[in-house]
């Protein structure tokens, strides 16, 4: 480290303070905070799925009870909010992937748009598979 | 088009003012004038005490960074007409201590920069061995990161740095990566030791605003995420192959 005085120790400097509400000052900050918050809803969906699997495992009665729980207006509301956040999570992270994972193919950098597009294709394929699994066609 | 535009400029006199105040000046609005031209007009024609840094006027020296209407900008590359009818608010770069008016203290950044050894580290071969050759593909690996002009707009945009000044910050990490990816360099392990602590790579939460404001398209956010991946793999290798790691 340098032997210079640190900036904050110098008298006469105006040291700006960052406001507690900094994340409301720019759209990009707000989007970031919402993206971070979305992980809570991802966790909720995982818990919900695990509860569902447990109910199925425990037999008919528990399964019916889980369906009643899932149909409760409050739970439906929470799940709708969660869905919105999960979509935000997915889309924002898809957009960020090429930045974090630059792929090279035969010595050339794969264009970011292609990486994003292939994620959407993957998403579509998995969704189609799940749809087929659940609905049967 | 109106022929003048109002500029609101942050003024701060050390020892006299407790906090910056805004002063308003009317400057000519010309198609080819940038914010820096407006400031120079104020200094030459209205108030010679307005203090700010600049040098090249062509987006190369990186010294004219200021906050323009809330966004970190190179004032030599930001046109007044884009802000018409005004007013244009000019403040010092956010997240740095202010020395006077629009001049901030950049020592912290300079210290962090030198910490990451932004130069080629290697056991030097004798001169007679010739140059270190590099192919265009090898150059391409790091060229984007070498475009950094140390303007610190990215630090000003980074809320992580604003909240935790210990964070090494976007440009320093991107420049570490610039040398890591250089085929002539052998200093990656040394730099990783400097950057693998919680205030280094891992403090970054990928807000991404550094990349958005960077005037040279360096993409520091991308550099940091790539670096995190390398660091994680390196740590993993260390556990899996304790003898062969690094
Ligand atoms: S990375 Fe970009 S914004 Fe940051 S100092 Fe370098 S040129 Fe400026
Ligand atoms: S004056 Fe040199 S970058 Fe603006």
């Amino acid at each position: 480290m340098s032997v210079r005085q640190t900036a904050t120790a110098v008298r006469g400097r105006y040291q700006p303070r960052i406001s507690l509400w900094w994340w409301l000052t720019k759209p990009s900050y707000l989007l970031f905070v919402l993206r971070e918050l979305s992980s809570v809803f991802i966790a909720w969906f995982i818990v919900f799925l695990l509860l569902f699997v447990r109910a199925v495992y425990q037999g008919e009665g528990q399964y019916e009870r889980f369906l009643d729980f899932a149909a409760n207006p409050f739970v439906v509301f929470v799940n709708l909010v969660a869905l919105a956040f999960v979509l935000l999570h997915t889309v924002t992270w898809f957009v960020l992937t090429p930045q974090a994972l630059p792929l090279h193919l035969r010595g050339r950098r794969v264009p970011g748009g292609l990486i994003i597009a292939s994620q959407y294709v993957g998403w579509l394929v998995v969704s189609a598979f799940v749809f087929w699994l659940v609905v049967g066609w | 088009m109106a022929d003048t535009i109002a500029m609101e400029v942050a003024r701060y006199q050390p020892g006299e003012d407790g906090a910056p105040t805004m002063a308003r000046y009317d400057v000519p609005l010309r198609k080819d004038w940038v914010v820096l031209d407006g400031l120079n007009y104020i200094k030459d024609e209205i108030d010679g005490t307005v203090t700010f840094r600049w040098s090249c006027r062509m987006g190369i020296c990186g010294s004219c960074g200021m906050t323009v209407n809330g966004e970190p900008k190179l004032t030599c590359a930001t046109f007044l007409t884009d802000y018409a009818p005004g007013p244009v608010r000019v403040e010092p770069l956010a997240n740095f201590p202010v020395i006077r008016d629009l001049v901030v203290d950049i020592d912290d950044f300079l210290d962090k920069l030198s910490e990451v050894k932004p130069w080629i580290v290697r056991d030097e071969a004798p001169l007679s061995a010739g140059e270190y050759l590099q192919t265009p593909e090898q150059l391409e690996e790091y060229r984007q990161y070498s475009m950094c002009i140390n303007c610190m707009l990215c630090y000003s945009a980074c809320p992580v740095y604003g909240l935790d000044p210990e964070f090494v910050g976007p440009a320093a990490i991107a420049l570490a990566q610039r040398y890591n990816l250089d085929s002539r360099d052998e200093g990656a392990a040394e730099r990783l030791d400097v950057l693998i602590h919680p205030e280094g790579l891992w403090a970054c939460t990928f807000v991404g605003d550094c990349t958005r404001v960077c005037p040279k398209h360096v993409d520091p956010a991308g550099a940091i995420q790539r670096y995190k991946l390398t660091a994680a793999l390196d740590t993993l290798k260390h556990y899996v192959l304790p003898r062969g790691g690094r």
Side-chain angles (χ1 to χ4, degrees):
Chain A
M1 284 302 286
S2 111
V3 289
R4 251 176 297 175
Q5 268 176 298
T6 60
T8 40
V10 181
R11 248 187 307 161
R13 299 274 191 275
Y14 172 70
Q15 185 70 46
R17 293 259 165 272
I18 216 168
S19 137
L20 205 60
W21 304 102
W22 62 268
W23 47 280
L24 286 177
T25 58
K26 272 193 211 178
S28 49
Y29 290 169
L30 183 63
L31 191 68
F32 158 75
V33 168
L34 291 177
R35 191 189 80 205
E36 293 289 287
L37 194 65
S38 66
S39 52
V40 175
F41 292 96
I42 299 269
W44 160 248
F45 262 175
I46 292 171
V47 170
F48 188 78
L49 192 70
L50 289 176
L51 289 177
F52 173 66
V53 170
R54 193 183 66 160
V56 170
Y57 175 74
Q58 286 174 339
E60 184 101 28
Q62 284 298 329
Y63 176 64
E64 289 297 329
R65 207 153 336 139
F66 180 82
L67 289 188
D68 287 343
F69 162 72
N72 178 313
F74 179 71
V75 177
V76 172
F77 174 73
V78 169
N79 276 343
L80 280 177
V81 174
L83 178 67
F85 271 98
V86 169
L87 286 176
L88 176 83
H89 187 93
T90 311
V91 171
T92 45
W93 281 110
F94 276 7
V95 171
L96 293 177
T97 311
Q99 242 179 309
L101 256 190
L103 291 181
H104 290 265
L105 219 68
R106 281 194 229 103
R108 282 183 174 279
R109 185 149 170 189
V110 181
L114 203 68
I115 299 181
I116 298 177
S118 56
Q119 294 180 106
Y120 276 102
V121 171
W123 188 12
L124 212 71
V125 170
V126 172
S127 300
F129 175 72
V130 171
F131 189 78
W132 171 79
L133 208 65
V134 175
V135 181
W137 48 264
Chain B
M1 197 164 83
D3 49 4
T4 63
I5 188 165
M7 290 182 72
E8 292 175 358
V9 179
R11 302 298 310 264
Y12 173 72
Q13 288 264 22
E16 286 182 23
D17 302 334
T21 51
M22 300 304 285
R24 202 180 158 104
Y25 308 94
D26 285 317
V27 305
L29 178 59
R30 302 203 184 134
K31 226 172 69 206
D32 54 347
W33 267 25
V34 288
V35 172
L36 184 60
D37 291 318
L39 289 173
N40 274 324
Y41 176 87
I42 296 170
K43 192 167 177 76
D44 292 344
E45 307 289 337
I46 308 175
D47 183 347
T49 64
V50 174
T51 310
F52 48 95
R53 286 198 185 104
W54 62 284
S55 175
C56 72
R57 279 181 42 195
M58 51 191 288
I60 293 299
C61 72
S63 59
C64 69
M66 296 168 212
T67 307
V68 181
N69 280 17
E71 283 283 320
K73 293 277 185 192
L74 290 183
T75 49
C76 70
T78 303
F79 284 89
L80 281 173
T81 48
D82 290 341
Y83 296 88
V88 189
R89 229 179 131 80
V90 188
E91 293 161 288
L93 278 182
N95 299 341
F96 291 98
V98 182
I99 297 178
R100 183 190 169 114
D101 294 345
L102 300 164
V103 176
V104 293
D105 187 338
I106 63 173
D107 283 356
D108 182 53
F109 169 66
L110 294 179
D111 286 343
K112 284 171 175 163
L113 195 59
S114 56
E115 255 177 65
V116 304
K117 303 185 201 287
W119 51 81
I120 287 185
V121 174
R122 71 178 289 157
D123 293 331
E124 298 212 4
L127 269 187
S128 55
E131 312 89 334
Y132 300 125
L133 297 179
Q134 193 163 57
T135 66
E137 288 76 28
Q138 287 170 327
L139 169 69
E140 219 32 60
E141 272 303 303
Y142 68 85
R143 203 177 60 90
Q144 179 184 18
Y145 303 138
S146 73
M147 293 297 162
C148 176
I149 57 172
N150 300 351
C151 65
M152 305 180 303
L153 299 195
C154 50
Y155 282 76
S156 182
C158 176
V160 177
Y161 180 66
L163 293 163
D164 173 13
E166 296 296 312
F167 175 39
V168 175
I173 303 181
L175 280 164
Q177 192 70 327
R178 176 252 173 272
Y179 287 94
N180 289 337
L181 297 176
D182 189 320
S183 56
R184 300 164 295 182
D185 180 83
E186 293 168 349
E190 282 173 48
R191 290 189 198 96
L192 194 60
D193 285 341
V194 177
L195 288 172
I196 204 155
H197 60 89
E199 309 290 358
L201 291 176
W202 302 108
C204 169
T205 51
F206 206 175
V207 179
D209 231 43
C210 51
T211 293
R212 198 175 58 78
V213 303
C214 175
K216 293 290 162 185
H217 310 291
V218 170
D219 188 8
I224 300 173
Q225 311 322 308
R226 288 180 73 179
Y227 209 157
K228 282 183 188 167
L229 193 69
T230 318
L233 290 177
D234 199 81
T235 308
L236 195 71
K237 218 161 62 189
H238 220 65
Y239 282 114
V240 180
L241 305 165
R243 279 164 210 281
R246 284 272 160 99

